[in-house]
Amino acid sequence: AVLLMKLIIVGTGSIASLLINDIVNAGIQVSVVVSRALARADTFIREHKLNQSQASNNLSEAITAHPGAVVYLAIPAAVRSSYLKSIFLQGADALIEKPLFSSSEAQTILEESARSNSAVYEASHFLYTQRFRALRQDIALDHRIFAVKAKFHFPMNDKTAIKFDKMLEPYGALGDLGWYTVRQFIALTETVTL
């Protein structure tokens, strides 16, 4: 595989675990895995056979040690803001896993990243696929939506995970259950063609 980039992964939960094989198979070097608990970062590295990766519980140190690495935030959206500020203060680029809350959040993030000359990428799930474009065209032609049935599930039984912290709502688990669905609905019903 051709090496495309170096990555610092922040978070060792279900999303990072779900995507790690695709990341590695794409030729992306995982330089550091950052977790609040160093033992979890070590376990993630061992379980996913990331033999060349380092474990850390300090994002700032990881960025300093790996200049040019993109920071992938595989963490709940509720705690993303402080991480982004740290990333941008160090002039690093960020990949956001969770959809943005609002246009004001997007504006703030864009302004902060521009000040540090950093790039920020949002993982917009399915918005650029052929099937999605076809759905949008069908909706644009007919202009009628009679019902919306949506389902979202994340396989997680660990109630100690940060996404279940009640103080983070509505941006924790409840937010997770809602905004992917809402994001898809809004994108499908926009009149602007992608």
Side-chain angles (χ1 to χ4, degrees):
V2 176
L3 179 63
L4 300 175
M5 70 168 73
K6 295 186 298 180
L7 200 66
I8 296 170
I9 297 178
V10 179
T12 57
S14 59
I15 291 295
S17 293
L18 183 69
L19 297 177
I20 191 62
N21 288 335
D22 291 332
I23 289 168
V24 172
N25 290 338
I28 298 170
Q29 175 189 335
V30 179
S31 301
V32 183
V33 175
V34 178
S35 178
R36 291 173 296 146
L38 191 58
R40 282 198 300 259
D42 280 325
T43 299
F44 186 90
I45 289 169
R46 190 174 51 259
E47 286 177 355
H48 298 288
K49 299 175 178 54
L50 302 172
N51 302 329
Q52 304 301 315
S53 302
Q54 298 172 343
S56 178
N57 59 0
N58 187 313
L59 177 58
S60 183
E61 288 177 6
I63 293 170
T64 300
H66 298 277
V70 173
V71 181
Y72 169 46
L73 295 178
I75 57 176
V79 296
R80 155 176 70 208
S81 180
S82 62
Y83 284 91
L84 283 171
K85 286 180 179 151
S86 174
I87 291 165
F88 297 149
L89 281 173
Q90 291 188 260
D93 298 331
L95 172 62
I96 302 170
E97 171 60 37
K98 304 290 184 183
L100 300 175
F101 298 133
S102 64
S103 58
S104 64
E105 182 192 23
Q107 186 65 38
T108 300
I109 289 171
L110 289 173
E111 288 170 1
E112 289 175 0
S113 67
R115 277 195 290 277
S116 64
N117 201 28
S118 297
V120 62
Y121 310 92
E122 179 196 11
S124 299
H125 302 274
F126 309 114
L127 297 183
Y128 306 105
T129 65
Q130 207 170 26
R131 181 176 184 191
F132 192 82
R133 282 193 298 276
L135 276 170
R136 286 191 64 186
Q137 288 172 352
D138 288 347
I139 290 170
L141 288 173
D142 195 330
H143 298 293
R144 292 180 295 169
I145 298 174
F146 297 101
V148 176
K149 181 177 179 179
K151 193 186 286 190
F152 182 86
H153 168 76
F154 51 86
M156 180 173 268
N157 296 322
D158 179 7
K159 301 300 182 206
T160 64
I162 192 170
K163 73 168 44 208
F164 291 108
D165 183 343
K166 292 177 185 173
M167 299 303 292
L168 298 178
E169 295 305 341
Y171 307 114
L174 292 177
D176 245 10
L177 288 171
W179 51 60
Y180 286 108
T181 305
V182 170
R183 172 77 184 259
Q184 288 286 70
F185 180 77
I186 290 169
L188 279 171
T189 57
E190 286 178 331
T191 57
V192 179
T193 304
L194 290 177

